[in-house]
Amino acid sequence: MTQVPCYTIINSPDLEVPNEMQLKQDLEKGDTNVKIETLKKVIKLLLNGERYPGLIMTIIRFVLPVQNHTIKKLLLIFWEIVPKTSADGKLLQEMILVCDAYRKDLQHPNEFLRGSTLRFLCKLKEPELLEPLMPAIRACLDHRHSYVRRNAVLAIFTIYKNFDWLVPDGPELIASFLDTQQDMSCKRNAFLMLLHADQERALNYLASCIDQVQSFGDILQLVIVELIYKVCHANPAERSRFIRCIYNLLNSSSNAVRYESAGTLITLSLAPTAIKAAAGCYIELIVKESDNNVKLIVLDRLIAMKENENMEKVMQDLVMDVLRVLAAPDIEVRRKTLALAMDLVYSRNINEMVHVLQKEVAKTHNVEHEDTGKYRQLLVRTLHTCSIKFPDVASNVIPVLVEFLSDTNELAAVDVLIFIREAIQKFPALRELIIKHLIEAFPQIKSSKIHRAAVWILGEYVESDVQILVVIAAIQQTLGEIPMVDAEQHRLAGDSTDEQQQQHQGTTSTSGEATNSTGATTTTTTSSSSSNKVTSDGTYATQSAYSLAPVAKKEKRPPLRQYLMDGDFFIGAALSATLTKLALRYVELQSDARTQNRLTTQVMLIMSSILHLGKSGYPSKPITYDDSDRIMVCLRTLSDRTPEAVAVFSHDCRTALGNMLDAQQEEDQRMQKEKQRATAKVQPDSPVLFAQLSNGRDNQLGENVFESSLNQALAGSKTAQLSDMSSPNNKLNKVTQLTGFSDPVYAEAYVNVNQYDIVLDVLIVNQTNDTLQNCTLELATLGDLKLVERPHPVVLAPHDFCNIKANVKVSSTENGIIFGNIVYDTALNTNVVVLNTIHIDIMDYIIPASCTDTEFRQMWQDFEWENKVTVNTNFTDLHEYLKHLLKSTNMKCLTPEKALSGQCGFMAANMYAKSIFGENALANLSIEKPVDDPDSKVTGHIRIRAKSQGMALSLGDKISSSQKQSVQAA
């Protein structure tokens, strides 16, 4: 079956089909506006599959002679889409009249009419119509207006490509035309034709004007870049002839030309100068271009360059240039830039990079912007990675990062403490420096979570007796007066406490002020006294003085005390553990029993004071039993000092941290290995493929961009291989049977998902002995799917078959359903065959992804839609069920392998995935089975969270269906 030409698509809502006689009457007798509206209606009906053969003559007689420009434009669309042949394939007689009308339009004095008619002729596929028009088309090449000339070139190009016998001297004609032209758009179209029709002539023209290429317009420069690319890939010996031209085009005034030139240059040459020039051009484009989408696209090109080992070594010297991109305000651009710089940095330029990052940190101070907090967090993480990767710079980074601890943005401060915790464990030489800066920053910290982590680090790594005393003094200062319950009672009673006196020291009361310390009084009393005074003019003036009793205000407490008064006693429990560690270490360092006991009792007083405060009723929430028990354990440890308890506080905590950091490092290394691209290995006895023969110049040239983009278009994604797509097994797996074998029309569909599009390739077989007229595939969709266009009706001979393709657009990750029927006419009546529904699998849009624990918790807290799925399976092993779940949902397990190892009867794991539309999907698995019963089934539930309801429900449905399949299989 011949392929129907692709027409101009005009989207229209459902139209009611009007009477043909009414349409004829409107076209014959209506005024210009009525004819315009009727013509629009006819065009939409034709595109929707209706047929009106009787209208052609009416339009030729009554509409074609009208000189209205709008009608002329609509007629071009009409003649493009109207069937021009009869049932036996011969050209309709009426089309000769149409051809004559367009010959006149090609000689019309209006250049717009000439140009638009020439554009229309590019779409004609009937040589019988084009042949009489050729002299008029050639004459348009000499028209005074460039719009007509450039469209005449395009028309000759298209006609030569489809029917070269109509214009056998096309390349010579266009080559001579190119030599005489000055207009850039005409030159571009002429050069484009020579590029595709006669490359040798195009090369000769380029060689004759190669020194003037930089003065050409950008549209012509783009075609020149394409020509050089194709010629050099077809014949690598030509590279030396044209590569200088590509270098010159890197300095073009057009960003599009520079982008294409840089991409072409790195595919033609892997020389260090070429790589540096291309990368430098990309960086300039990112810095100067204002559109964020363009910045991200060009950044992706730089990241792709970095994936090539040969290019990565050259790009390492461009790290400082890459960091210029940080001037962009978009957080996504900054994130990608920092990741790229981190991958490229090496020991020679790490100091310069750290210096730039420190300047960026300074710029974020006192800047109020919605992404400032996220950017500071990114900078902290990058500096963290720099310090771990290059320990020599850690001493310069630590003072800068410690300043973040007093920041109001808790996210950045948490990341700083994570870095400090790792650095203080891995780099013993830096412990003194870290502890010194941490003690200095301790009083300025504003968050309970940050104080808690800082207290733990100080308690674990302070080694000398002098530093222990300094840390305890700093803790006491941020706690306030001890015992705390007495201090709070004095505060409520209105007595001046020690800490208030310290705050008010140095202030002097002004004379004549009346003060009234009435303590707990909250009412305001006013007393007035008046005295008579004589003014300059001899009259009396009365002066009144008012004395106000102060209203009791909320006193500002020290930070740690404030957390406790707000009911956060977890910080109290952490503080107790830290004080216990410090006291035990001090006992080891100090031989004097009296000094030991003095410090121990001081520490125990602080702990008992926290306990007392928690049960006193003054805080907004009482102390929890867990925190109370933990503080009691600390008190008992200090009083009894049993070897087991002392070992836990002195050694086991640090060992646990070391093990955790080692496990994290192993996980990171494993992920890094997974990311690294496996190098292709060809064995001596491997069969030789034609693809390998065509790519035999890999060490001379880079990848063939056209080939790789074609592969991606056919395979649907960068990871898919063409061999996988052409595999018959792969295709058969996606075939859905739509009708039964006994139905008069048998249909089956191959569903091909290409990211945002779904292509349905439907095979329709006529199983009857009758000819089926107007056999139409009618489809409808449910969910976020949209049918792009209605499939055209076909005629099926007895026992004949045909393939009909339908395109469906996808806009979000939800389970979609496509349903419909096949309608056909026989000699007697119209019949309908209802089709089986096609379920679009959500897994085609979901890809595994990873995120940090902090990001996972934040998203879990923010996402409002949750779907809870109960585990119903025949699996008896927890690990096997997890593997089955990950395979069926395309999610990635974030919980480390070490945390899941072993058999203890229960398992909890976090999973994460992203859709190609940028949606996040989180899942928490909580399953168990009795350890003593090996044959018992896994039970539990899976909680799914997503930002949209459809995503959460679709993922839940997928898990439920996969569980049913496993149960049925068992």
Side-chain angles (χ1 to χ4, degrees):
M1 185 179 171
T2 56
Q3 192 73 16
V4 180
C6 180
Y7 297 128
T8 306
I9 295 173
I10 301 172
N11 183 36
S12 60
D14 296 334
L15 290 169
E16 51 182 79
V17 181
N19 188 353
E20 188 173 346
M21 291 303 296
Q22 181 64 42
L23 290 173
K24 280 186 178 182
Q25 190 175 352
D26 289 342
L27 290 170
E28 282 180 31
K29 300 179 180 177
D31 59 11
T32 304
N33 290 332
V34 172
K35 286 181 179 179
I36 289 171
E37 290 304 316
T38 309
L39 202 52
K40 285 180 180 177
K41 199 178 292 183
V42 170
I43 289 168
K44 289 176 181 176
L45 289 167
L46 284 173
L47 284 171
N48 282 346
E50 303 295 336
R51 292 287 177 268
Y52 295 107
L55 284 180
I56 293 179
M57 205 60 216
T58 306
I59 288 175
I60 290 172
R61 288 175 58 205
F62 298 103
V63 184
L64 200 57
V66 179
Q67 292 300 312
N68 182 280
H69 281 200
T70 306
I71 286 180
K72 290 279 186 188
K73 280 196 280 187
L74 290 171
L75 281 173
L76 293 176
I77 299 173
F78 175 78
W79 294 123
E80 181 191 343
I81 64 175
V82 75
K84 302 170 190 66
T85 54
S86 57
D88 57 359
K90 292 184 179 178
L91 194 71
L92 294 172
Q93 295 294 324
E94 296 93 329
M95 298 312 294
I96 296 170
L97 298 171
V98 178
C99 184
D100 185 61
Y102 281 114
R103 188 180 54 77
K104 289 176 183 174
D105 279 348
L106 286 174
Q107 296 165 349
H108 199 281
N110 186 302
E111 61 269 6
F112 171 75
L113 273 180
R114 278 203 192 196
S116 54
T117 307
L118 287 163
R119 287 175 71 88
F120 157 71
L121 294 179
C122 294
K123 300 173 185 177
L124 279 187
K125 303 295 180 193
E126 289 78 22
E128 301 94 330
L129 288 175
L130 292 168
E131 191 171 9
L133 301 174
M134 287 313 300
I137 295 172
R138 283 170 173 266
C140 287
L141 285 174
D142 300 322
H143 193 271
R144 59 181 176 77
H145 203 283
S146 62
Y147 179 70
V148 177
R149 295 199 305 272
R150 70 169 178 257
N151 282 307
V153 174
L154 276 182
I156 290 173
F157 175 28
T158 313
I159 293 166
Y160 181 81
K161 193 165 60 174
N162 296 327
F163 317 105
D164 55 352
W165 49 271
L166 285 177
V167 52
D169 61 337
E172 294 91 334
L173 181 68
I174 296 301
S176 58
F177 170 82
L178 184 60
D179 290 331
T180 60
Q181 279 304 307
Q182 296 301 319
D183 182 76
M184 278 303 157
S185 59
C186 296
K187 289 175 87 168
R188 179 257 181 195
N189 288 359
F191 193 80
L192 185 66
M193 176 177 170
L194 292 181
L195 164 65
H196 291 281
D198 192 343
Q199 270 193 15
E200 194 57 42
R201 289 181 188 274
L203 283 173
N204 291 338
Y205 173 76
L206 179 58
S208 67
C209 60
I210 199 160
D211 295 329
Q212 304 161 26
V213 167
Q214 272 195 286
S215 63
F216 290 168
D218 56 348
I219 53 175
L220 181 55
Q221 287 177 342
L222 284 170
V223 184
I224 289 172
V225 170
E226 185 184 346
L227 171 70
I228 293 172
Y229 178 84
K230 283 189 171 180
V231 169
C232 292
H233 263 280
N235 184 8
E238 297 280 356
R239 280 188 306 160
S240 56
R241 186 178 170 193
F242 294 113
I243 204 162
R244 175 54 52 192
C245 180
I246 292 289
Y247 269 108
N248 292 337
L249 288 175
L250 288 178
N251 301 316
S252 169
S253 57
S254 165
N255 286 347
V257 174
R258 297 175 70 193
Y259 176 77
E260 291 296 335
S261 303
T264 302
L265 183 59
I266 55 175
T267 61
L268 298 183
S269 171
L270 292 178
T273 49
I275 295 167
K276 271 191 179 179
C281 180
Y282 281 145
I283 292 166
E284 284 294 324
L285 284 174
I286 300 169
V287 171
K288 292 181 178 176
E289 183 60 49
S290 57
D291 189 342
N292 272 336
N293 292 325
V294 175
K295 288 178 187 283
L296 290 169
I297 290 167
V298 182
L299 257 176
D300 286 337
R301 291 292 301 163
L302 277 174
I303 293 166
M305 284 177 67
K306 186 256 308 175
E307 298 296 327
N308 186 313
E309 288 181 10
N310 297 324
M311 295 186 188
E312 186 179 10
K313 290 174 184 174
V314 178
M315 289 176 69
Q316 285 178 342
D317 295 326
L318 298 173
V319 170
M320 302 311 294
D321 292 321
V322 170
L323 290 173
R324 288 167 55 203
V325 181
L326 292 176
D330 185 65
I331 190 69
E332 193 60 34
V333 174
R334 287 169 161 177
R335 181 180 285 111
K336 285 194 172 185
T337 304
L338 287 172
L340 175 62
M342 201 60 245
D343 288 339
L344 292 175
V345 73
Y346 67 120
S347 54
R348 285 188 186 175
N349 52 21
I350 182 64
N351 288 316
E352 288 88 344
M353 178 173 166
V354 168
H355 188 61
V356 170
L357 294 178
Q358 287 174 342
K359 284 186 176 178
E360 287 295 316
V361 167
K363 285 180 191 174
T364 61
H365 286 296
N366 304 320
V367 176
E368 289 301 324
H369 189 270
E370 58 179 347
D371 287 334
T372 303
K374 291 179 184 175
Y375 183 42
R376 297 187 80 171
Q377 193 178 7
L378 275 178
L379 290 171
V380 168
R381 288 183 181 175
T382 310
L383 286 168
H384 174 180
T385 314
C386 287
S387 303
I388 301 303
K389 201 172 175 182
F390 304 96
D392 294 342
V393 300
S395 57
N396 298 329
V397 170
I398 287 164
V400 178
L401 291 187
V402 168
E403 292 177 13
F404 278 94
L405 293 178
S406 58
D407 198 80
T408 51
N409 176 23
E410 196 175 273
L411 295 174
V414 167
D415 282 336
V416 169
L417 278 171
I418 290 170
F419 160 63
I420 287 175
R421 186 183 66 186
E422 188 172 352
I424 207 169
Q425 171 73 11
K426 289 187 174 178
F427 311 131
L430 294 175
R431 284 179 187 170
E432 286 286 334
L433 176 70
I434 294 172
I435 287 167
K436 177 190 167 193
H437 284 287
L438 199 54
I439 292 172
E440 287 174 2
F442 193 77
Q444 278 79 44
I445 297 174
K446 298 181 176 69
S447 165
S448 164
K449 190 188 291 186
I450 309 306
H451 254 129
R452 197 167 65 227
V455 157
W456 189 92
I457 292 170
L458 287 172
E460 193 62 50
Y461 292 98
V462 169
E463 304 285 352
S464 69
D465 52 353
V466 177
Q467 280 188 331
I468 289 172
L469 294 174
V470 171
V471 170
I472 291 176
I475 290 172
Q476 275 194 318
Q477 184 188 345
T478 47
L479 262 178
E481 188 182 346
I482 304 292
M484 288 182 273
V485 174
D486 292 348
E488 289 302 317
Q489 284 175 343
H490 288 310
R491 190 186 297 276
L492 285 174
D495 297 337
S496 178
T497 59
D498 291 346
E499 59 195 58
Q500 284 174 332
Q501 287 170 4
Q502 287 171 7
Q503 286 174 7
H504 291 300
Q505 259 180 353
T507 61
T508 56
S509 58
T510 53
S511 59
E513 261 187 293
T515 57
N516 185 4
S517 300
T518 56
T521 310
T522 57
T523 57
T524 305
T525 59
T526 307
S527 62
S528 65
S529 60
S530 60
S531 60
N532 294 334
K533 291 193 175 181
V534 181
T535 59
S536 57
D537 59 355
T539 57
Y540 288 101
T542 305
Q543 182 179 10
S544 300
Y546 290 90
S547 173
L548 301 177
V551 179
K553 295 179 182 176
K554 187 178 179 182
E555 294 288 347
K556 187 178 178 183
R557 299 183 177 91
L560 289 179
R561 172 87 64 86
Q562 189 61 53
Y563 304 147
L564 297 173
M565 291 302 292
D566 291 338
D568 182 5
F569 280 92
F570 187 29
I571 181 78
L575 198 60
S576 301
T578 294
L579 291 170
T580 306
K581 289 177 189 175
L582 292 173
L584 291 172
R585 199 168 297 128
Y586 191 78
V587 167
E588 289 177 10
L589 296 170
Q590 269 291 348
S591 55
D592 182 21
R594 190 184 179 111
T595 314
Q596 291 176 3
N597 293 336
R598 186 184 298 120
L599 184 83
T600 307
T601 51
Q602 183 184 351
V603 164
M604 292 175 81
L605 174 64
I606 294 173
M607 289 190 241
S608 56
S609 177
I610 294 171
L611 264 178
H612 190 194
L613 180 68
K615 297 176 181 178
S616 66
Y618 290 125
S620 55
K621 295 177 199 166
I623 189 169
T624 62
Y625 289 113
D626 286 344
D627 295 333
S628 160
D629 288 348
R630 195 169 175 205
I631 295 171
M632 288 301 295
V633 166
C634 293
L635 285 167
R636 192 168 291 114
T637 302
L638 283 177
S639 60
D640 297 346
R641 295 185 197 170
T642 57
E644 296 83 0
V646 170
V648 169
F649 278 98
S650 301
H651 308 293
D652 293 358
C653 292
R654 194 176 302 187
T655 308
L657 174 65
N659 293 339
M660 186 191 78
L661 293 176
D662 291 342
Q664 277 182 358
Q665 192 172 359
E666 286 175 20
E667 184 70 15
D668 291 343
Q669 287 172 351
R670 187 181 62 80
M671 287 176 64
Q672 198 66 31
K673 284 180 184 175
E674 286 177 5
K675 283 182 184 176
Q676 285 174 353
R677 187 174 50 191
T679 54
K681 294 179 181 176
V682 181
Q683 300 299 333
D685 56 346
S686 297
V688 178
L689 303 175
F690 287 107
Q692 284 180 319
L693 287 174
S694 65
N695 290 337
R697 298 183 297 272
D698 276 348
N699 39 359
Q700 293 182 12
L701 302 175
E703 65 166 330
N704 190 323
V705 176
F706 293 145
E707 286 294 325
S708 58
S709 60
L710 176 65
N711 290 359
Q712 189 179 343
L714 290 173
S717 68
K718 290 183 180 176
T719 54
Q721 297 295 324
L722 276 178
S723 57
D724 299 338
M725 295 305 295
S726 57
S727 161
N729 294 334
N730 182 284
K731 199 162 185 175
L732 288 172
N733 287 337
K734 294 191 175 181
V735 170
T736 306
Q737 186 177 336
L738 300 179
T739 63
F741 292 113
S742 58
D743 283 320
V745 176
Y746 173 75
E748 64 182 28
Y750 166 58
V751 183
N752 185 18
V753 178
N754 283 336
Q755 290 198 339
Y756 305 105
D757 299 296
I758 297 171
V759 179
L760 296 180
D761 190 351
V762 184
L763 170 69
I764 297 178
V765 182
N766 179 6
Q767 301 194 116
T768 67
N769 295 320
D770 301 324
T771 299
L772 306 184
Q773 300 284 343
N774 287 333
C775 184
T776 309
L777 176 67
E778 296 183 345
L779 297 173
T781 58
L782 196 66
D784 274 351
L785 304 175
K786 187 179 179 184
L787 196 65
V788 176
E789 58 177 320
R790 257 176 65 176
H792 286 283
V794 293
V795 177
L796 281 178
H799 301 288
D800 193 7
F801 66 91
C802 71
N803 283 72
I804 296 178
K805 290 188 178 179
N807 291 309
V808 179
K809 282 280 180 192
V810 190
S811 55
S812 74
T813 316
E814 288 187 28
N815 282 338
I817 298 174
I818 302 173
F819 55 94
N821 47 47
I822 293 175
V823 182
Y824 60 91
D825 297 334
T826 59
L828 300 174
N829 55 4
T830 300
N831 299 287
V832 178
V833 178
V834 179
L835 302 179
N836 186 18
T837 55
I838 301 172
H839 292 267
I840 303 303
D841 194 356
I842 185 179
M843 291 302 104
D844 290 319
Y845 314 116
I846 288 183
I847 50 175
S850 59
C851 65
T852 63
D853 290 344
T854 311
E855 289 167 345
F856 185 91
R857 288 193 203 100
Q858 189 62 43
M859 285 190 284
W860 188 268
Q861 186 179 335
D862 293 343
F863 291 170
E864 53 190 10
W865 291 103
E866 179 172 308
N867 187 8
K868 190 172 181 179
V869 181
T870 305
V871 173
N872 176 23
T873 181
N874 286 328
F875 281 95
T876 57
D877 184 84
L878 299 176
H879 294 86
E880 288 300 320
Y881 180 76
L882 175 62
K883 286 178 186 173
H884 164 74
L885 190 66
L886 294 173
K887 186 179 178 182
S888 60
T889 59
N890 271 8
M891 300 189 89
K892 180 174 181 178
C893 183
L894 299 180
T895 309
E897 191 67 37
K898 279 192 173 181
L900 298 171
S901 58
Q903 295 287 349
C904 60
F906 66 88
M907 177 188 284
N910 291 334
M911 296 175 290
Y912 177 59
K914 287 185 87 167
S915 75
I916 60 171
F917 307 101
E919 300 166 303
N920 297 299
L922 312 176
N924 174 257
L925 172 71
S926 183
I927 50 177
E928 62 179 347
K929 65 161 281 186
V931 183
D932 52 356
D933 184 4
D935 297 328
S936 63
K937 295 175 184 176
V938 172
T939 58
H941 59 264
I942 304 150
R943 292 165 67 197
I944 303 159
R945 284 204 182 181
K947 203 166 191 177
S948 63
Q949 183 185 18
M951 181 84 161
L953 291 175
S954 302
L955 208 51
D957 292 344
K958 179 64 185 175
I959 293 172
S960 301
S961 64
S962 70
Q963 289 188 148
K964 283 178 187 172
Q965 288 171 4
S966 67
V967 169
Q968 288 168 1

